[in-house]
Amino acid sequence: MSNATTSSPLKSLSDEGVSIWLDDLSRTRIESGSLAESVATGHVVGVTTNPSIFQAAIGSGEGYEEQLADLAVRKVTVDEAVRMMTTADVRAAADILRPVYDATAGRDGRVSIEVDPRLANETEATIAEAKQLAWLVDRPNVMIKIPATLAGLPAITEVIGLGISVNVTLIFSLDRYKAVMDAYLAGLEKAHERGIDLSTIHSVASFFVSRVDAEIDKRLDKVGTDEAKALKGKAALANARLAYEAYEQVFATERATTLEAAGANKQRPLWASTGVKDPAYKDTLYVVELVAPGTVNTMPEGTLKATADHGEITGDTVTGTYDASRAELAAVEKLGISYDEVVQQLEDEGVSKFEIAWNDLLATVTSRLEGSEAK
């Protein structure tokens, strides 16, 4: 992306206090210089990955041939092969983003890698996996992604308590988000007791956006009334905006401010799943309508390019919207659409989708390892 196409709206977004992260990574993006260019000219200050992203990247085979051949010769297990390839990509991306990390005192310049999604409901295994990933990548600007399942919450506390920075993923509900912030603060308290420098620990809470509209809009269509149709495309923004309100409230408490006085960082809200799923909506909807200081927006490349090209950044579009947001979610609930049911379904589907993507990746790598051995 050239500077001419990316400087204005993305710079405006950055100036509003939104950190722009790219929700994508591949060996070709690293080796072609595409990632470095996005960082140098496109205001990208972080990278997020997930099992689906790696499945697409490694599934294509492009750029991984030599490493796959070496792994096949060593007769490594498929799980080890996948870990070696994914951590190599994250390590290389972390090196590209290291100057941003240094310039922002660790706030940005981050690259996230997820624990094995098959462990989403196993606390101890998630903790062990997070420690292993941090050790494998061996870069100070790595963030370990842990899903915000009930089993994930105590894992978040323990991993933060060990001084490892965490990106909490798959958050859909306001109640779960509050539990995530509580888990983070508890982790900081553990780290403080262990004598760890709190200023070195950073965390983001990935609050998913577009999937909420996708599910609720489907249910509104079934209701079919004019009132229902008028509420389409409203729930996801309302949900995210109320998450920001919760963030403001929690980090203003005595518990949080005491930790901050000891050097702790706030756990920033990160808007995830910001690619628009309904073509009827503006392709920059979940960017321009979620502008607030101290947030992160991780965008797939298409959304990043759309924002760079025609995103209209008009300042803070979150603060002060809370009463209207509550009213919109209440109106949806009044039509018989259960918020609690929707968010639980989305969490279950989110875990399942990542597990399916991971299993597909394992199957792809298995066949590629066998192919390399046969040569």
Side-chain angles (χ1 to χ4, degrees), residues 8 18 44 59 78 85 101 106 175 196 257 277 302 328 338-339:
S8 190
V18 180
V44 168
V78 65
M85 287 187 284
Y101 169 84
D175 283 346
I196 296 168
T257 54
K277 300 210 172 1
E328 281 164 352
S338 165
Y339 174 86

Side-chain angles (χ1 to χ4, degrees), residues 23 37 44 46 73 103 115 157 171 175 215 236 278 285 334 354:
D23 194 28
E37 189 192 350
V44 168
V73 168
V115 296
T157 294
I171 308 170
D175 283 346
E215 181 57 36
D278 188 334
L285 179 68
K334 203 175 166 190
F354 281 169

